[in-house]
Amino acid sequence: MASFSPISFTAFVRLLAGFRLNAHIKPTSIHLLMCLAMFKVASASVIANRGIPDYSTAEAGNPFVQGWYADPDTEIYDGLYWVYPTSSLPYDNQTYFDAFSSPDLVTWTKYPNILTTANVTWATRAVWAPAPISKNGKYYLYFGANDIQEGEPEQGKIGGIGVAVADKPEGPYVDAIGKPLIGEYHNGAQPIDQDVFIDDVDGQAYIYYGGHSHANVAKINEDMISIGTFDDGTQYKEITPENYVEGPQMIKRNGTYYLQWSEGDWTGPDYSVSYAMSDSPLGPFKKVAKILEQDSTVAKGSGHNGVFQVPGTDIWYIVYHRRPLSETDGNHRVLAYDRMYFNDNGTIAPVKMLVKDNFANGEMFDWKTYNGTWSVVDQRLSVASTPGARAMLDTAFEDMVFDATVAITDGSGDAGLVFRVSESSDGADKFQGYYAGISQNGTVSLGKASDGNWETLSEGSAQVSYATEYQFRVTANGSDFSVFVGDMKSAKVNATDDSFTSGSTGVGVRSASAKFGYVSVSEFGVEPTNASSRPQPKRSFYYSILGSVAFGLL
């Protein structure tokens, strides 16, 4: 990911004037700095016109796009957020790349087959982990192909990291050099999993890459399709941090370089993301901490990430792949993002995978339905009247706070939330777990189902009208349950039961039609580090100043 960190107005003016200490500014460097500044101002301006995407997570739900994808990398082009992932398929079928763009990180447009092996003559097997960057008016996509192993290049086998080029972010991309850019092992690093970063100090492009638990950095020349040479005459420097496995990602914030990488087995539940910090793009990189890992209540195998910084702000998102809890296929990986916060000392706070869905994208990607006709209408998950129907998320919460809006639109029955669910199947009450609902006659009920048998645990009352949305909350803390309607301070129903201790969460109806919105599930008593209640940063005044200076000098 290319990352351009804010600099002060004074520093910028000194750069233009050539007064920066230990720097000799050439006209071409001044032009480059002006271009970088204007590029960021333009991106910030376009996004600002649409509103700043200031979220705690993917508010319209994770995964944020449909399909099996992995290894996402990110860029911002012309005010749009772009994600370039691997198509997560068996190797022999992993022969193409799709891309996605969004103006707001909510609604996404898919661009299929932006690069295929048909456009890369030397790619005979899998392609994966695309890394986008733009320079010199062109768009570049770096990728791994053929999965070569140590010793195979010496045997004449071709593979490694390639580079493709296009005139537009969505392609079509074509092979730029007709062979791998990096086709051999250096310092023990398998030539895969590349990330390309352009430093705002001097415009130098770097490629960070490596599998088999070794990481290298190399310079990329101005043409973006050849490897440069360091001052000491070498081309590849090893920068492997502690526990590194693969998937490096470089970002920069306030003059500090952050190298992120993946640890663990990509097919296993312990896949995770750690990071290091340095004052140089070449390191050294000493591991600081692990920031993203599996959550037994939400998803497993979370890793191989990209990063978005919202232009003109200190708002950051980590974009990554993960595996649904109930899935066992190693290729069943999906794309997700969550908010990434920095502490006051510049370190990165641990990222908590949040569960939310406001249906603003008009989709229900992560929901599995049982009975009924479900759809998203006007940003609400809707179901037609049926004797019993449920829509479930693949979660496994024990103690929780479960929120949603509920509106009954027809029928004499009730609608509400189901939780701690297992063994779900088609049919009214065909599950093991709890259900809390409201009915049009004002009854608030809490009960449990066990393979078609229903038992009411407690009932209360609330004023309920058709087609009116009510804030609905269930809290579960051990064997103690509370149900809130409208008033989130005074429970309408309380009950105690220890039949079911954990399970999935969802929404449901019984002899009613209903609409649900603003679904949110979190652990009881736990305030996540990326909660939306945290103070949010404001836009940087620096971009306005830079815009005036840069455009005024044209």
Side-chain angles (χ1 to χ4, degrees):
M1 172 189 176
S3 178
F4 305 104
S5 297
I7 59 175
S8 68
F9 173 71
T10 302
F12 182 71
V13 172
R14 286 177 176 172
L15 281 171
L16 291 180
F19 294 145
R20 186 181 177 190
L21 294 177
N22 301 320
H24 301 282
I25 306 300
K26 299 179 181 179
T28 54
S29 299
I30 295 174
H31 177 73
L32 172 63
L33 288 166
M34 290 174 61
C35 289
L36 291 177
M38 288 185 289
F39 169 80
K40 194 148 194 178
V41 170
S43 294
S45 176
V46 173
I47 291 174
N49 290 336
R50 297 191 179 101
I52 298 173
D54 188 356
Y55 317 131
S56 61
T57 184
E59 302 285 341
N62 279 319
F64 60 87
V65 297
Q66 189 171 29
W68 290 19
Y69 292 100
D71 313 328
D73 205 353
T74 57
E75 266 300 338
I76 298 176
Y77 295 139
D78 301 324
L80 294 177
Y81 300 91
W82 287 82
V83 174
Y84 297 81
T86 299
S87 296
S88 188
L89 301 168
Y91 269 170
D92 290 338
N93 299 325
Q94 203 169 285
T95 58
Y96 63 91
F97 291 125
D98 297 334
F100 299 86
S101 73
S102 174
D104 52 14
L105 297 178
V106 175
T107 57
W108 295 86
T109 299
K110 178 179 177 179
Y111 302 87
N113 299 315
I114 63 168
L115 176 66
T116 72
T117 53
N119 301 115
V120 184
T121 57
W122 55 271
T124 58
R125 204 182 178 197
V127 292
W128 73 96
I133 201 78
S134 178
K135 192 172 183 179
N136 305 325
K138 294 289 186 179
Y139 298 88
Y140 298 91
L141 199 66
Y142 300 79
F143 58 93
N146 295 356
D147 194 26
I148 60 168
Q149 302 299 305
E150 196 161 11
E152 289 184 344
E154 291 77 7
Q155 300 170 10
K157 293 186 178 180
I158 299 175
I161 296 172
V163 55
V165 64
D167 294 323
K168 298 181 294 182
E170 66 271 30
Y173 288 82
V174 295
D175 188 6
I177 57 177
K179 61 181 180 180
L181 174 66
I182 305 174
E184 298 178 341
Y185 279 64
H186 300 278
N187 305 317
Q190 185 186 24
I192 64 167
D193 286 6
Q194 59 293 318
D195 180 54
V196 178
F197 166 83
I198 298 177
D199 199 348
D200 60 348
V201 171
D202 54 9
Q204 176 64 56
Y206 297 92
I207 184 167
Y208 299 82
Y209 76 93
H212 292 177
S213 299
H214 289 275
N216 285 338
V217 61
K219 285 185 175 182
I220 299 180
N221 289 324
E222 182 67 19
D223 62 10
M224 299 300 288
I225 58 173
S226 60
I227 299 297
T229 302
F230 293 106
D231 292 341
D232 61 4
T234 62
Q235 289 189 299
Y236 302 92
K237 292 187 179 296
E238 183 166 12
I239 53 168
T240 308
E242 178 188 358
N243 292 338
Y244 174 92
V245 173
E246 60 190 18
Q249 173 76 194
M250 174 58 71
I251 62 173
K252 188 178 181 182
R253 177 182 181 268
N254 295 340
T256 298
Y257 299 84
Y258 295 79
L259 179 68
Q260 300 176 342
W261 66 89
S262 293
E263 301 179 359
D265 183 356
W266 71 270
T267 62
D270 61 342
Y271 206 50
S272 55
V273 175
S274 292
Y275 80 102
M277 301 166 63
S278 178
D279 57 5
S280 166
L282 307 182
F285 294 104
K286 183 179 180 180
K287 179 177 176 177
V288 176
K290 184 177 291 187
I291 55 169
L292 179 68
E293 58 188 321
Q294 68 171 328
D295 185 329
S296 60
T297 66
V298 180
K300 55 190 176 183
S302 50
H304 203 130
N305 67 292
V307 173
F308 278 126
Q309 179 191 10
V310 178
T313 76
D314 200 25
I315 297 173
W316 298 77
Y317 298 98
I318 184 168
V319 186
Y320 60 97
H321 74 242
R322 68 192 196 189
R323 189 169 293 107
L325 289 177
S326 64
E327 297 296 335
T328 57
D329 189 331
N331 287 310
H332 192 162
R333 297 173 290 175
V334 297
L335 300 184
Y337 71 82
D338 281 285
R339 186 71 166 260
M340 187 175 74
Y341 286 100
F342 290 82
N343 299 313
D344 291 342
N345 64 358
T347 58
I348 303 175
V351 176
K352 178 70 174 175
M353 291 188 280
L354 301 184
V355 178
K356 291 188 176 184
D357 199 339
N358 63 12
F359 307 103
N361 59 359
E363 305 289 352
M364 47 182 296
F365 292 143
D366 202 31
W367 295 82
K368 184 175 182 179
T369 62
Y370 300 88
N371 284 3
T373 301
W374 296 84
S375 62
V376 176
V377 179
D378 296 330
Q379 298 185 20
R380 295 295 183 270
L381 180 58
S382 304
V383 60
S385 184
T386 180
R390 295 175 305 285
M392 303 300 300
L393 292 168
D394 193 353
T395 56
F397 282 92
E398 297 177 8
D399 299 341
M400 76 194 79
V401 177
F402 187 0
D403 285 286
T405 60
V406 180
I408 299 174
T409 55
D410 196 13
S412 59
D414 48 42
L417 309 182
V418 285
F419 57 101
R420 291 187 179 177
V421 170
S422 63
E423 301 180 28
S424 192
S425 61
D426 288 337
D429 301 330
K430 285 285 187 178
F431 64 96
Q432 308 279 348
Y434 299 102
Y435 169 82
I438 55 172
S439 64
Q440 193 273 336
N441 65 14
T443 300
V444 182
S445 60
L446 172 64
K448 62 182 179 180
S450 180
D451 196 25
N453 298 312
W454 174 259
E455 179 183 345
T456 299
L457 298 175
S458 184
E459 288 187 341
S461 63
Q463 185 173 351
V464 178
S465 301
Y466 276 134
T468 301
E469 282 194 335
Y470 297 92
Q471 183 66 34
F472 198 89
R473 171 178 292 172
V474 171
T475 63
N477 183 20
S479 59
D480 297 326
F481 309 121
S482 296
V483 181
F484 302 81
V485 182
D487 181 1
M488 296 295 103
K489 295 182 179 180
S490 300
K492 301 296 184 183
V493 170
N494 294 290
T496 299
D497 188 81
D498 58 5
S499 299
F500 311 107
T501 58
S502 68
S504 59
T505 49
V507 298
V509 296
R510 301 187 305 173
S511 300
S513 60
K515 294 181 178 181
F516 304 90
Y518 297 101
V519 173
S520 172
V521 192
S522 60
E523 293 181 68
F524 186 91
V526 176
E527 178 70 14
T529 57
N530 45 334
S532 57
S533 60
R534 284 184 59 143
Q536 306 301 337
K538 298 180 180 180
R539 289 183 57 81
S540 171
F541 179 65
Y542 131 87
Y543 289 100
S544 301
I545 296 295
L546 274 186
S548 301
V549 173
F551 286 107
L553 291 174
L554 288 177

